[in-house]
Amino acid sequence: MKNNFSNDDRYADVIWLENLELNQMMNGGKVMADTMWRCDQVRAGQLYNRMMFDTKAEAEQFVQRMQQIEPDQMFSIEPVEARQVWN
């Protein structure tokens, strides 16, 4: 299967992901919600990556974007109590 993404597309994806991470760091001063959203990225039945998001919408946006880049990976999004993530 041929990858139809150009180098510009890949660069844009990297910038998008860096901006997402930067936005999460910049919002660190806001009041934390009781629920966070865990997004697990699985490849060949093995956990490949795990990210945490403040909102379900952020997690879903991340999954949609990543599925365009890596269609062979599976993603799951589930709510997690923030106290289980942070002590």
Side-chain angles (χ1 to χ4, degrees), residues 1-68:
M1 182 155 108
K2 184 178 180 193
N3 189 341
N4 293 329
F5 292 106
S6 70
N7 285 338
D8 289 340
D9 291 335
R10 289 186 185 115
Y11 180 73
D13 291 334
V14 169
I15 295 300
W16 173 83
L17 187 56
E18 287 177 353
N19 284 336
L20 177 65
E21 291 172 355
L22 181 61
N23 287 340
Q24 288 178 340
M25 288 189 305
M26 296 299 285
N27 289 331
K30 70 180 181 181
V31 176
M32 183 189 286
D34 292 335
T35 302
M36 295 187 72
W37 295 87
R38 179 173 60 209
C39 178
D40 287 346
Q41 192 174 359
V42 179
R43 178 185 285 164
Q46 299 291 322
L47 180 63
Y48 182 70
N49 189 19
R50 174 172 282 165
M51 293 189 68
M52 301 299 295
F53 296 91
D54 292 330
T55 67
K56 186 176 183 179
E58 288 175 345
E60 289 172 343
Q61 180 185 14
F62 173 76
V63 167
Q64 288 174 349
R65 188 66 175 215
M66 291 304 296
Q67 285 178 330
Q68 292 173 350

